[in-house]
């Protein structure tokens, strides 16, 4: 009969700090797995820098456990840093694992990371002098009747046969595995469903961006088209909604449904962009308040919007030009002027792009 691992009683919160962590750290340092509680389910933890210990996960994908500071650094260094950082800010510590592309070279192309919220996992990560990886799926192999959510079930799981200890952190609060999301160029894929669903992930990852000019027939439609193209290139996908982005444009004095001016459409067509289906839309204060970023083409547009918003709700309303300049209105002027205006707007969009993606 296979000997079962020792269950380490949780006691109070102090059991996950200081000297109380010593037997857990000793086991991991020696290359032995430890069944560890998280806020989602129990998982099998090993030293992440020990290939032999990683091999005890039986091929299950390891997820690197990070503290909050390391998690922020990992998301900021990801392939789509602003997208990954917004997800980390919203869900870490918590029940989301991110599969991020290794942009520095070396090691696997993609790796999983998570900042756990449970005191046991968080305390262990903070105290360990080596990296720790955890697999929720490894411990669940061969276990019937749902996920492993108690120390007692973890101790009897087939994958716990090599474990030195089972850390009893009480019943799992969420009782289902962490959502696993792959984020990178051309990828926004939920690989494992959990308590966080795809629509919530998109809402956290992307931005609702509006560009505002006077009549919404020249400058702001060009800014919208140029921003869509730039964001699509940065994301590696034309499907901006898949990543949670919604890009639009409005006019402070716009009437509804007017087409883009001919020269604006021509200037965009020369860049491979299509304004043929554009219809002007007037500004609505509630829509401006709900947007994540609002970029005005001139200071007068910004002043008009701020006047329409309640106090303290206009912090996200800015000039498109990071240097604070206005974009002159090309309405009624030559195609050459529209081209020059488009060039200026494109430079401003590119200067803003790292804030978005």
């Amino acid at each position: 009969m296979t000997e079962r691992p020792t269950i380490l009683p949780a006691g109070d919160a102090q059991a996950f700090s200081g000297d109380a962590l010593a037997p857990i750290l000793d086991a991991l340092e020696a290359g032995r797995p430890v069944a560890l509680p998280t806020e989602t389910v129990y998982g099998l933890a090993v030293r992440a820098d020990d290939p032999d210990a990683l091999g005890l996960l039986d091929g299950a994908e390891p997820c690197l456990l990070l503290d909050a500071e390391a998690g922020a650094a990992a998301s900021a260094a990801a392939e789509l840093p602003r997208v990954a950082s917004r997800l980390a800010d919203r869900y870490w510590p918590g029940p989301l694992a991110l599969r991020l592309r290794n942009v520095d070279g070396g090691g696997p192309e993609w790796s999983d990371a998570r900042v756990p919220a449970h005191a046991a996992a968080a305390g262990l990560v903070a105290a360990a002098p080596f990296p720790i990886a955890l697999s929720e799926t490894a411990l669940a192999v061969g276990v019937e009747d749902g996920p492993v959510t108690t120390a007692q079930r973890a101790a009897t799981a087939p994958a716990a046969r090599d474990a030195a200890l089972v850390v009893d952190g009480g019943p799992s609060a969420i009782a289902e595995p962490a959502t696993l999301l792959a984020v990178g160029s051309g990828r926004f894929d939920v690989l494992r469903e959990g308590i966080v669903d795809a629509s919530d992930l998109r809402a956290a990852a992307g931005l609702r961006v509006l560009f505002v000019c006077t009549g919404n027939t020249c400058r702001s439609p060009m800014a919208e088209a140029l921003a869509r193209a730039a964001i699509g290139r940065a994301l590696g996908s034309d499907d901006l909604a898949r990543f949670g982005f919604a890009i639009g444009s409005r006019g402070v004095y716009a009437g509804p449904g007017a087409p883009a001016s001919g020269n604006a459409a021509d200037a965009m067509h020369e860049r491979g962009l299509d304004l043929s289906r554009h219809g002007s839309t007037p500004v609505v204060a509630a829509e401006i308040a709900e947007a994540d970023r609002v970029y005005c083409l001139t200071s007068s547009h910004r002043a008009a919007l701020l006047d329409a918003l309640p106090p303290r709700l206009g912090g996200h309303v800015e000039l498109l030009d990071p240097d604070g300049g206005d974009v002159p209105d090309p309405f009624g002027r030559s195609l050459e002027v529209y081209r020059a205006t488009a060039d200026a707007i494109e430079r401003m969009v590119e200067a803003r792009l790292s804030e978005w993606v």
Side-chain angles (χ1 to χ4, degrees), residues 104-283:
D104 294 329
E109 182 182 6
W110 295 82
S111 57
D112 300 349
R114 174 183 175 188
V115 178
H118 194 284
L124 189 60
V125 169
F130 44 76
I132 298 173
L134 178 135
S135 171
E136 295 178 331
T137 58
L139 198 59
V141 172
V143 176
E144 299 178 355
D145 301 325
V148 178
T149 59
T150 66
Q152 291 70 32
R153 293 195 70 196
T156 59
R161 62 187 179 276
D162 296 315
L165 297 168
V166 174
V167 181
D168 186 353
S172 303
I174 295 176
E176 60 179 303
T179 302
L180 175 59
L181 175 71
V183 180
S185 180
R187 291 196 72 181
F188 196 91
D189 303 316
V190 176
L191 305 179
R192 183 176 65 232
E193 295 184 354
I195 193 170
V196 186
D197 66 27
S199 62
D200 290 336
L201 292 168
R202 283 191 289 269
L207 292 172
R208 294 165 296 176
V209 180
L210 286 176
F211 299 92
V212 178
C213 69
T214 304
N216 192 215
T217 60
C218 301
R219 288 167 290 181
S220 59
M222 290 195 292
E224 176 186 352
L226 290 165
R228 285 181 183 276
I231 293 170
R233 288 192 298 272
L235 294 175
S237 171
D238 292 333
D239 188 359
L240 273 57
R242 178 184 173 195
F243 292 80
F245 283 85
I247 315 299
S249 61
R250 300 292 184 266
V252 173
Y253 301 112
S261 70
N263 282 343
D266 290 343
M268 292 298 97
H269 181 73
E270 293 174 351
R271 289 168 163 80
L273 304 175
D274 184 13
L275 291 184
S276 63
R277 289 182 286 184
H278 174 77
S280 61
T281 305
V283 161

Side-chain angles (χ1 to χ4, degrees), residues 61-123:
E61 292 287 348
C63 180
L64 190 63
L65 298 184
L66 304 173
D67 61 22
E69 184 176 348
S75 60
E79 189 174 35
L80 304 177
R82 293 296 183 182
V83 174
S85 291
R86 284 192 289 270
L87 287 164
D89 289 345
R90 173 65 179 84
Y91 292 109
W92 284 356
L96 174 67
L98 292 178
R99 179 164 293 178
L100 303 173
R101 192 189 296 274
N102 180 1
V103 296
D104 294 329
E109 182 182 6
W110 295 82
S111 57
D112 300 349
R114 174 183 175 188
V115 178
H118 194 284

Side-chain angles (χ1 to χ4, degrees), residues 218-219 222-223 226 261-271 327-331 333-347:
C218 301
R219 288 167 290 181
M222 290 195 292
L226 290 165
S261 70
N263 282 343
D266 290 343
M268 292 298 97
H269 181 73
E270 293 174 351
R271 289 168 163 80
V327 178
D329 192 351
F331 183 74
R333 303 187 69 183
S334 68
L335 179 57
E336 287 299 321
V337 173
Y338 274 82
R339 287 171 177 157
T341 302
D343 288 341
I345 291 173
E346 188 167 36
R347 288 192 296 271

